[in-house]
Amino acid sequence: MPRPEPRRAAGAPLTALVLQGGGALGAYQAGAYEALATRAHEVGWVAGISIGAINAALIAGNPPARRLERLRAFWEQVSLALPVSASGTVLEPVRGWWDDAMALWGAWRGVPGFFQPRPWWAWWPQPPASLYDTAPLRATLGELVDFDLLNDGPVRLSIGAVDVQSGNFAYFDNRHERIGPEHVLASGALPPGFGAVQIGERWYWDGGLVSNTPLAYVMDELDAEAGTPVTVFQIDLFSARGRLPRTLADAAEREKDIRFSSRTRMVSDLVRDRHQLHQRLRRLAELLPPERRHSAAVQDLLAGLADPTITLVHVIHRRKAYETQTKDYEFSRLSMTEHWQAGLADMAASFALLRRQPAPRPGEFRVLDYRADIAPGGRAAINTPESLEQQP
């Protein structure tokens, strides 16, 4: 039975967290949440796809005091720790080779608490529909996520998946249905590695096959109640911006980045354009004579033009020089720790950027994007409506 949205006080801010898919890179989102948890209003809505759905479930399915503990427990469990540890500094000359070797190790042996290769007898008399069994992930979710709290608690959770047979995108939302481990597994069931997951009479694959970010869903579902400010932290694991490939390996990684960056900038552009159109129509209505402006027909048209005040803070994992196209399935403990720390640092810088901004105007839509790698002196870059059109 659908559960009504908890009522917020009039004008009370909403903080939403939007988590892109990206496999092993998802530790970046966990680090970003650590920075966010100590600085922002309580997160009221978490939306995710694939590994983003797993992180989202760990957040929504635990009380605030335990979320970081459970996120860290998950990422330590699914990261590969070798008997001989090595630091990033020692491995720097051969880091790309090391990471590729660790990715192949995980692909061959599986990742503890996440997935395991199907046994040889599963390939006879015909091959299975997927390479790995995700039963370990189901057990991990059962251990680390309180699904009663996830469904009955104050945090809204939305996760995306794709109907295998119809090809249609679907969102599972705890405001409309009860979410179980199978919904989270479905959102991360990327073929051919992972098999489709049955929910009711339908079978689902990873939502990243259609769109790797739930940003459009969140924007469409936002409460348009006037005077309610919304801050959306979009944590992306693939950057649309990148260098021209010089080798086949570069091309494979660049293709993956473009494919899974999933039009995040396009979605934000569309939302911005919609806000601007609504503002123009409201200004146009003010030019009508009072008797026409207050008519039932005009008021009915204006009723659908109320937009919330939205600040979209875009936090993006930036490629390291040694990373290759295996980065999303390279689960080494070293890389996990580095991704976590990078997310922590980038979110802290993004939040500092947000704090420096003036209060948004009612109904305004703005995007903030910390780009230490391109801004002069490592300073934050701000995407204004004009500059957004120039960004990927």
Side-chain angles (χ1 to χ4, degrees):
M1 181 176 180
R3 184 162 63 90
E5 188 82 19
R7 297 294 298 175
R8 299 191 307 275
L14 169 67
T15 298
L17 193 59
V18 176
L19 305 177
Q20 195 182 70
L25 298 174
Y28 179 88
Q29 294 171 342
Y33 177 78
E34 180 177 358
L36 179 64
T38 61
R39 292 173 171 87
H41 296 285
E42 177 62 32
V43 173
W45 189 356
V46 189
I49 288 175
S50 196
I51 197 66
I54 295 173
N55 283 329
L58 289 163
I59 293 169
N62 283 287
R66 300 201 68 182
R67 289 172 186 167
L68 281 176
E69 169 197 330
R70 292 305 176 93
L71 281 167
R72 192 169 295 280
F74 173 80
W75 282 103
E76 288 181 352
Q77 183 169 350
V78 303
S79 59
L80 303 173
L82 298 181
V84 178
S85 61
S87 68
T89 303
V90 172
L91 292 172
E92 185 174 356
V94 294
R95 183 60 187 277
W97 294 94
W98 172 273
D99 285 359
D100 284 348
M102 292 299 294
L104 291 175
W105 177 267
W108 176 47
R109 298 293 301 272
V111 173
F114 203 148
F115 60 87
Q116 59 192 18
R118 296 195 181 279
W120 63 266
W121 55 85
W123 294 76
W124 179 263
Q126 65 180 18
S130 64
L131 298 173
Y132 301 100
D133 180 4
T134 55
L137 177 58
R138 180 183 288 270
T140 300
L141 291 172
E143 177 186 350
L144 298 179
V145 177
D146 181 343
F147 280 91
D148 287 333
L149 176 63
L150 181 150
N151 286 290
D152 300 326
V155 179
R156 182 173 182 177
L157 174 68
S158 308
I159 53 182
V162 177
D163 187 308
V164 176
Q165 292 158 293
S166 71
N168 293 332
F169 201 87
Y171 275 98
F172 307 115
D173 193 314
N174 68 351
R175 293 298 180 262
H176 306 304
E177 60 197 303
R178 292 195 70 81
I179 303 296
E182 65 276 9
H183 297 87
V184 183
L185 289 169
S187 183
L190 184 64
F194 303 153
V197 177
Q198 185 175 15
I199 299 174
E201 300 298 320
R202 311 300 298 178
W203 292 81
Y204 294 90
W205 269 338
D206 192 307
L209 293 173
V210 173
S211 176
N212 200 34
T213 175
L215 180 61
Y217 177 80
V218 170
M219 292 299 178
D220 288 341
E221 290 279 312
L222 278 175
D223 185 2
E225 180 182 349
T228 301
V230 179
T231 303
V232 178
F233 292 92
Q234 162 87 13
I235 317 298
D236 281 358
L237 302 178
F238 295 96
S239 175
R241 182 188 294 272
R243 66 187 184 186
L244 183 68
R246 297 182 178 180
T247 67
L248 286 174
D250 289 345
E253 183 191 13
R254 187 75 195 108
E255 182 274 335
K256 183 176 288 187
D257 283 344
I258 293 173
R259 175 158 44 102
F260 287 121
S261 63
S262 285
R263 310 179 307 279
T264 296
R265 187 67 69 198
M266 184 191 75
V267 173
S268 61
D269 283 349
L270 290 174
V271 175
R272 179 206 64 198
D273 292 344
R274 183 180 66 187
H275 270 59
Q276 292 180 345
L277 175 61
H278 289 177
Q279 290 174 358
R280 293 189 182 102
L281 291 174
R282 289 196 295 270
R283 289 197 297 268
L284 179 62
E286 293 173 358
L287 301 177
L288 295 173
E291 64 276 7
R292 296 291 300 275
R293 185 168 65 247
H294 297 298
S295 68
V298 172
Q299 290 302 307
D300 184 59
L301 290 173
L302 293 177
L305 303 182
D307 293 312
T309 302
I310 300 176
T311 299
L312 174 62
V313 183
H314 203 188
V315 185
I316 310 174
H317 169 265
R318 308 294 180 185
R319 180 188 185 276
K320 297 180 178 63
Y322 54 79
E323 287 181 337
T324 71
Q325 63 90 21
T326 66
K327 61 189 176 185
D328 58 329
Y329 61 95
E330 194 273 287
F331 282 88
S332 72
R333 180 66 56 84
L334 173 61
S335 292
M336 183 277 289
T337 302
E338 290 177 343
H339 295 326
W340 187 297
Q341 293 300 318
L344 179 65
D346 288 351
M347 177 59 87
S350 298
F351 204 85
L353 169 62
L354 176 63
R355 288 293 196 192
R356 293 195 297 269
Q357 305 310 307
R361 300 184 303 273
E364 180 183 2
F365 177 79
R366 63 181 179 179
V367 178
L368 306 180
D369 186 356
Y370 180 79
R371 289 297 306 271
D373 56 335
I374 64 170
R379 293 174 298 185
I382 305 173
N383 289 329
T384 63
E386 292 75 21
S387 65
L388 275 171
E389 297 177 356
Q390 307 303 319
Q391 298 292 333

PDB file of all heavy atoms in Angstrom, residues 297-309:
ATOM      1  N   ALA A 297      -9.680  29.909 -16.262  1.00  0.00           N
ATOM      2  CA  ALA A 297      -8.865  29.253 -17.288  1.00  0.00           C
ATOM      3  C   ALA A 297      -7.387  29.607 -17.119  1.00  0.00           C
ATOM      4  O   ALA A 297      -6.512  28.736 -17.165  1.00  0.00           O
ATOM      5  CB  ALA A 297      -9.351  29.654 -18.673  1.00  0.00           C
ATOM      6  N   VAL A 298      -7.089  30.907 -16.906  1.00  0.00           N
ATOM      7  CA  VAL A 298      -5.697  31.324 -16.756  1.00  0.00           C
ATOM      8  C   VAL A 298      -5.118  30.794 -15.453  1.00  0.00           C
ATOM      9  O   VAL A 298      -3.977  30.318 -15.410  1.00  0.00           O
ATOM     10  CB  VAL A 298      -5.589  32.865 -16.821  1.00  0.00           C
ATOM     11  CG1 VAL A 298      -4.171  33.314 -16.467  1.00  0.00           C
ATOM     12  CG2 VAL A 298      -5.966  33.356 -18.211  1.00  0.00           C
ATOM     13  N   GLN A 299      -5.883  30.826 -14.381  1.00  0.00           N
ATOM     14  CA  GLN A 299      -5.390  30.319 -13.110  1.00  0.00           C
ATOM     15  C   GLN A 299      -5.118  28.822 -13.174  1.00  0.00           C
ATOM     16  O   GLN A 299      -4.192  28.318 -12.544  1.00  0.00           O
ATOM     17  CB  GLN A 299      -6.386  30.638 -11.993  1.00  0.00           C
ATOM     18  CG  GLN A 299      -6.472  32.111 -11.644  1.00  0.00           C
ATOM     19  CD  GLN A 299      -5.129  32.667 -11.213  1.00  0.00           C
ATOM     20  OE1 GLN A 299      -4.477  32.131 -10.312  1.00  0.00           O
ATOM     21  NE2 GLN A 299      -4.690  33.746 -11.870  1.00  0.00           N
ATOM     22  N   ASP A 300      -5.934  28.127 -13.948  1.00  0.00           N
ATOM     23  CA  ASP A 300      -5.718  26.688 -14.118  1.00  0.00           C
ATOM     24  C   ASP A 300      -4.395  26.424 -14.840  1.00  0.00           C
ATOM     25  O   ASP A 300      -3.646  25.502 -14.497  1.00  0.00           O
ATOM     26  CB  ASP A 300      -6.878  26.072 -14.894  1.00  0.00           C
ATOM     27  CG  ASP A 300      -6.742  24.561 -15.019  1.00  0.00           C
ATOM     28  OD1 ASP A 300      -6.680  23.883 -13.976  1.00  0.00           O
ATOM     29  OD2 ASP A 300      -6.686  24.056 -16.163  1.00  0.00           O
ATOM     30  N   LEU A 301      -4.088  27.254 -15.841  1.00  0.00           N
ATOM     31  CA  LEU A 301      -2.821  27.104 -16.550  1.00  0.00           C
ATOM     32  C   LEU A 301      -1.636  27.453 -15.664  1.00  0.00           C
ATOM     33  O   LEU A 301      -0.600  26.772 -15.679  1.00  0.00           O
ATOM     34  CB  LEU A 301      -2.821  27.997 -17.793  1.00  0.00           C
ATOM     35  CG  LEU A 301      -3.755  27.584 -18.933  1.00  0.00           C
ATOM     36  CD1 LEU A 301      -3.761  28.663 -20.003  1.00  0.00           C
ATOM     37  CD2 LEU A 301      -3.322  26.249 -19.523  1.00  0.00           C
ATOM     38  N   LEU A 302      -1.774  28.490 -14.859  1.00  0.00           N
ATOM     39  CA  LEU A 302      -0.678  28.922 -14.003  1.00  0.00           C
ATOM     40  C   LEU A 302      -0.419  27.949 -12.857  1.00  0.00           C
ATOM     41  O   LEU A 302       0.688  27.905 -12.311  1.00  0.00           O
ATOM     42  CB  LEU A 302      -0.962  30.315 -13.437  1.00  0.00           C
ATOM     43  CG  LEU A 302      -0.993  31.461 -14.448  1.00  0.00           C
ATOM     44  CD1 LEU A 302      -1.368  32.759 -13.745  1.00  0.00           C
ATOM     45  CD2 LEU A 302       0.346  31.599 -15.151  1.00  0.00           C
ATOM     46  N   ALA A 303      -1.435  27.155 -12.499  1.00  0.00           N
ATOM     47  CA  ALA A 303      -1.294  26.240 -11.364  1.00  0.00           C
ATOM     48  C   ALA A 303      -0.189  25.221 -11.594  1.00  0.00           C
ATOM     49  O   ALA A 303       0.432  24.735 -10.658  1.00  0.00           O
ATOM     50  CB  ALA A 303      -2.617  25.536 -11.082  1.00  0.00           C
ATOM     51  N   GLY A 304       0.080  24.880 -12.850  1.00  0.00           N
ATOM     52  CA  GLY A 304       1.107  23.890 -13.146  1.00  0.00           C
ATOM     53  C   GLY A 304       2.482  24.477 -13.375  1.00  0.00           C
ATOM     54  O   GLY A 304       3.401  23.769 -13.790  1.00  0.00           O
ATOM     55  N   LEU A 305       2.633  25.772 -13.105  1.00  0.00           N
ATOM     56  CA  LEU A 305       3.893  26.448 -13.390  1.00  0.00           C
ATOM     57  C   LEU A 305       4.702  26.778 -12.145  1.00  0.00           C
ATOM     58  O   LEU A 305       5.690  27.493 -12.218  1.00  0.00           O
ATOM     59  CB  LEU A 305       3.624  27.745 -14.169  1.00  0.00           C
ATOM     60  CG  LEU A 305       2.864  27.594 -15.485  1.00  0.00           C
ATOM     61  CD1 LEU A 305       2.714  28.948 -16.160  1.00  0.00           C
ATOM     62  CD2 LEU A 305       3.574  26.620 -16.418  1.00  0.00           C
ATOM     63  N   ALA A 306       4.258  26.279 -10.993  1.00  0.00           N
ATOM     64  CA  ALA A 306       5.000  26.546  -9.759  1.00  0.00           C
ATOM     65  C   ALA A 306       6.156  25.555  -9.642  1.00  0.00           C
ATOM     66  O   ALA A 306       5.944  24.336  -9.607  1.00  0.00           O
ATOM     67  CB  ALA A 306       4.068  26.415  -8.562  1.00  0.00           C
ATOM     68  N   ASP A 307       7.367  26.070  -9.605  1.00  0.00           N
ATOM     69  CA  ASP A 307       8.564  25.233  -9.513  1.00  0.00           C
ATOM     70  C   ASP A 307       9.227  25.403  -8.158  1.00  0.00           C
ATOM     71  O   ASP A 307       9.272  26.510  -7.619  1.00  0.00           O
ATOM     72  CB  ASP A 307       9.575  25.620 -10.592  1.00  0.00           C
ATOM     73  CG  ASP A 307       9.080  25.301 -11.984  1.00  0.00           C
ATOM     74  OD1 ASP A 307       8.613  24.177 -12.181  1.00  0.00           O
ATOM     75  OD2 ASP A 307       9.166  26.183 -12.852  1.00  0.00           O
ATOM     76  N   PRO A 308       9.768  24.323  -7.623  1.00  0.00           N
ATOM     77  CA  PRO A 308      10.546  24.474  -6.387  1.00  0.00           C
ATOM     78  C   PRO A 308      11.859  25.185  -6.683  1.00  0.00           C
ATOM     79  O   PRO A 308      12.328  25.211  -7.822  1.00  0.00           O
ATOM     80  CB  PRO A 308      10.785  23.032  -5.941  1.00  0.00           C
ATOM     81  CG  PRO A 308      10.739  22.241  -7.205  1.00  0.00           C
ATOM     82  CD  PRO A 308       9.737  22.926  -8.088  1.00  0.00           C
ATOM     83  N   THR A 309      12.432  25.761  -5.681  1.00  0.00           N
ATOM     84  CA  THR A 309      13.761  26.351  -5.795  1.00  0.00           C
ATOM     85  C   THR A 309      14.782  25.220  -5.681  1.00  0.00           C
ATOM     86  O   THR A 309      14.834  24.527  -4.669  1.00  0.00           O
ATOM     87  CB  THR A 309      13.989  27.390  -4.683  1.00  0.00           C
ATOM     88  OG1 THR A 309      12.980  28.399  -4.785  1.00  0.00           O
ATOM     89  CG2 THR A 309      15.364  28.014  -4.798  1.00  0.00           C
TER      90      THR A 309
END
